[in-house]
Structure formats: C-alpha cells, structure tokens
C-alpha cells in the first residue's frame, strides 16, 4: 500500500510525522518561509521610508500587526501580500511568496491535503468527531482550536482560522467540484463552544446543504449498520482522475495512493451513504435538532 506524508503529494514517500502543537508550525521549512517573507517585507518597507504605522494604515492593519508579519509571528492573507507589493512598489518581489505562505499557514500534517483540495473535482468526506473543516463556522472553529491541549497561542489560532476559512472558497469554485459529506449524528449534538455556537453551526449546515453541488447526510445513532466503524476518512478525486485516500488522527496523517485501496475506500463510502439518511431527510433532521436547542 502506498502511503504518503500529507505535507506533500509525491507518488511515494515516508511515513507521516507528527506535528508538535507548540504554538508554532511544526515544519521548520514553513517557519523559515514565514520568517524570510517577513524580513523581505521589512526591508522593502524600510527602503520605502515608511513607518509601520503609516504602512499599516495603507493596508488596513495596526502597526503591531505589521510587526507580527515582519517578525514571522503571523502569516499575512493573500490580499495583504498583494496590497503590500503594490504600496511598496515591489514589482512582484512579495507576491511570489504567496503560494509558499499559503502552504505554511496549515499544520504540516495537512499541507498535502490542502493542496489536493484545490485540484479536486470530487471530495467524499466521512466525519465522526467534529464537523468537517469545510463546513465549520468561524465560531465553531475557534471553539475547537481553543480546546486543543497543549494550548495553542492566540496567533496560531488566528492563523488556523484564516487558513480554514480560505479553504471554504471551494464552494465558490467554477466549475464546482462535487462535495459529499456524511457525519455521525453525535457530531451534530456536541455543544462545543456552547449552545449558541452549535445553533449557528447547524444553521450554516442547512444553508450549505441547499447548494446543488453539495450532498450532506447524517448517519443516525440508531442505525444498526455502519460501514464506517473504522473511523473518519476522505476520498479525493483529482482532475486527472487519480484518487487519494486521506486519513488523519492525533496530528498525524497519511495519503494513500494505491489504486486498490482508494477504490475500496470510495466503495466503502458509497455503502456508508446508502446506510445514512438521504440528503433531504438529513436536512430535516438537522432542522429538528435546531428546534430542540
């Protein structure tokens, strides 16, 4: 079976490695990218004779945030990179960093999967613990990240929230990929962050479930058969037709490319879908849960 580290998407590769949740990105190369960009930003700003406060006003950020960008403590969003290049008349010296910065904002174990999502024409996702990241509201994200142990520092939380929200651009992509989500009923009952957070999350699911390229299904706890007892997983089909099986647990992950395993995973997902409530029944079920809050 071909198994890959999810920080890259090669044909073969080493076993996945754990990310240490120390408040910084575990991958040293990612930290290096962020630090190098920050130094370039500072050099260009200084050369332009602009103080942080003035530069921040031009970008819509405080001087302290600009300091965080320059010191490599915070990753600027793509729009900020574009605007910085424009304001400093950098001629593209900053925008060339955008792809590397985008990759660096994800945990090392998820970087490969984030890249695959951008190339996907179909995503099949089964979740058993929390709402899938592509479906999470910002409040739900923050609640989950705040519960991490050891704790994440605030800058890392902001970085992860920004990155997760950016992934949700997949819903606006054209042509639209086919997105199928199946989640255990228990996922919809956990009140992570409190009742108001859950209420907002369920309302968001009802909206997303109306999209024509999205199928959202619930696996009820009283279902006597469930082909997904081995846990959550995602099957990605890329534009070239190649399939990947992504599995994540305890800050480690693997991308499986072996055709037999990926085809079997897709078939297993098909069985799970047949056992779950239909999309129409699932939206009605979510609406019922929302009414109970």
């Amino acid at each position: 079976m071909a198994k890959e580290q999810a920080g890259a998407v090669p044909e073969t590769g080493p076993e996945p490695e754990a990310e240490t949740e120390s408040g910084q990105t575990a991958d040293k190369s990612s930290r290096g990218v962020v630090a190098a960009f920050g130094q370039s930003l500072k050099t260009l700003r200084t050369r332009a004779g602009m103080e942080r406060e003035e530069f921040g006003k031009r970008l819509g950020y405080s001087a302290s945030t600009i300091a965080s960008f320059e010191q490599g403590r915070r990753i600027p969003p793509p729009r900020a990179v574009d605007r910085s290049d424009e304001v400093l008349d950098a001629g593209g010296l900053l925008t060339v960093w955008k792809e590397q910065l985008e990759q660096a904002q994800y945990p090392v174990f998820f970087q490969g999967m984030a890249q695959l999502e951008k190339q996907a024409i179909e995503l099949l996702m089964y979740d058993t613990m929390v709402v899938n990241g592509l479906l999470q509201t910002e409040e739900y994200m923050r609640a989950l990240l705040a519960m991490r142990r050891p704790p994440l520092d605030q800058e890392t939380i902001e970085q992860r929230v920004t990155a997760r929200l950016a992934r949700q651009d997949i819903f606006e992509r054209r042509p639209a990929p086919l997105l199928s989500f199946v989640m255990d009923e228990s996922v919809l009952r956990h009140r992570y962050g409190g009742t108001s957070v859950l209420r907002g999350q369920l309302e968001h699911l009802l909206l997303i479930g109306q999209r024509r390229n999205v199928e959202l299904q619930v696996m009820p706890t009283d279902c006597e058969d469930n082909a997904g007892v081995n846990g959550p997983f995602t099957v990605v089909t890329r534009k070239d037709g190649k399939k990947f099986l992504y599995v994540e647990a305890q800050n480690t992950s693997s991308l499986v490319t072996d055709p037999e395993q990926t085809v079997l995973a897709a078939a297993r997902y098909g069985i799970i879908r047949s056992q779950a409530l239909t999309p129409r029944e699932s939206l009605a079920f979510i609406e019922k849960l929302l009414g109970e809050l």
Side-chain angles (χ1 to χ4, degrees):
M1 178 177 71
K3 183 183 291 187
E4 304 172 355
Q5 182 177 342
V9 194
E11 288 300 315
T12 60
E15 290 295 319
E17 297 177 353
E19 178 200 25
T20 57
E21 296 285 14
S22 61
Q24 298 179 348
T25 308
D27 186 26
K28 292 182 180 179
S29 64
S30 292
R31 291 201 301 269
V33 165
V34 178
F37 171 82
Q39 185 59 51
S40 297
L41 180 64
K42 181 179 180 180
T43 299
L44 289 168
R45 177 185 59 77
T46 303
R47 185 179 300 172
M50 201 174 299
E51 296 295 328
R52 282 174 178 164
E53 185 174 1
E54 179 188 354
F55 182 52
K57 286 180 179 178
R58 301 279 294 274
L59 267 64
Y61 292 100
S62 66
S64 61
T65 299
I66 297 300
S68 293
F69 291 160
E70 293 181 349
Q71 294 164 9
R73 293 184 288 110
R74 184 172 175 182
I75 300 176
R79 286 190 295 274
V81 177
D82 289 335
R83 182 61 178 152
S84 297
D85 197 90
E86 179 184 337
V87 169
L88 298 175
D89 194 23
L93 291 176
L94 293 177
T95 56
V96 296
W97 290 91
K98 281 170 63 176
E99 186 174 341
Q100 294 180 72
L101 287 172
E102 182 180 3
Q103 183 175 4
Q105 68 186 333
Y106 297 106
V108 64
F109 65 84
F110 190 74
Q111 289 177 359
M113 182 59 187
Q115 181 182 349
L116 276 177
E117 282 184 347
K118 291 190 168 187
Q119 305 168 26
I121 59 171
E122 181 185 61
L123 283 169
L124 310 176
M125 293 153 280
Y126 177 56
D127 293 286
T128 62
M129 296 298 294
V130 299
V131 172
N132 190 280
L134 292 178
L135 298 172
Q136 292 174 10
T137 64
E138 183 174 343
E139 294 75 15
Y140 189 90
M141 293 176 196
R142 292 184 183 281
L144 294 182
L145 291 168
M147 290 187 288
R148 293 288 183 88
R149 294 295 183 272
L152 300 177
D153 62 48
Q154 193 57 41
E155 288 182 342
T156 300
I157 289 176
E158 295 304 321
Q159 174 184 313
R160 299 285 174 85
V161 168
T162 299
R164 203 167 293 182
L165 289 173
R167 288 172 55 209
Q168 296 181 359
D169 287 347
I170 194 170
F171 293 108
E172 309 302 328
R173 189 187 305 168
R174 296 293 181 272
L178 299 175
L179 305 173
S180 174
F181 302 87
V182 180
M183 65 189 80
D184 281 359
E185 175 185 339
S186 59
V187 170
L188 302 172
R189 292 188 178 276
H190 284 299
R191 302 197 180 193
Y192 298 134
T195 301
S196 63
V197 171
L198 179 58
R199 181 180 293 110
Q201 181 62 68
L202 295 181
E203 290 172 346
H204 184 64
L205 292 177
L206 290 175
L207 290 175
I208 293 292
Q210 300 293 332
R211 291 176 175 264
R212 290 190 297 170
N213 66 317
V214 174
E215 288 195 343
L216 198 157
Q217 295 177 254
V218 176
M219 177 69 77
T221 55
D222 61 5
C223 184
E224 296 183 1
D225 295 302
N226 184 349
V229 291
N230 284 344
F233 64 96
T234 297
V235 179
V236 186
T237 302
R238 206 165 56 183
K239 292 179 181 179
D240 60 3
K242 186 175 181 63
K243 290 184 183 296
F244 296 79
L245 168 62
Y246 176 76
V247 181
E248 177 186 315
Q250 296 296 324
N251 296 332
T252 63
S253 64
S254 63
L255 281 169
V256 179
T257 59
D258 177 66
E260 180 180 357
Q261 296 301 317
T262 57
V263 168
L264 286 174
R268 182 164 67 252
Y269 187 85
I271 297 172
I272 292 171
R273 289 176 68 177
S274 71
Q275 295 168 335
L277 300 177
T278 67
R280 187 183 298 273
E281 292 169 340
S282 296
L283 291 181
F285 185 83
I286 294 172
E287 211 163 359
K288 175 177 173 291
L289 291 180
L290 188 58
E292 294 174 356
L293 292 178

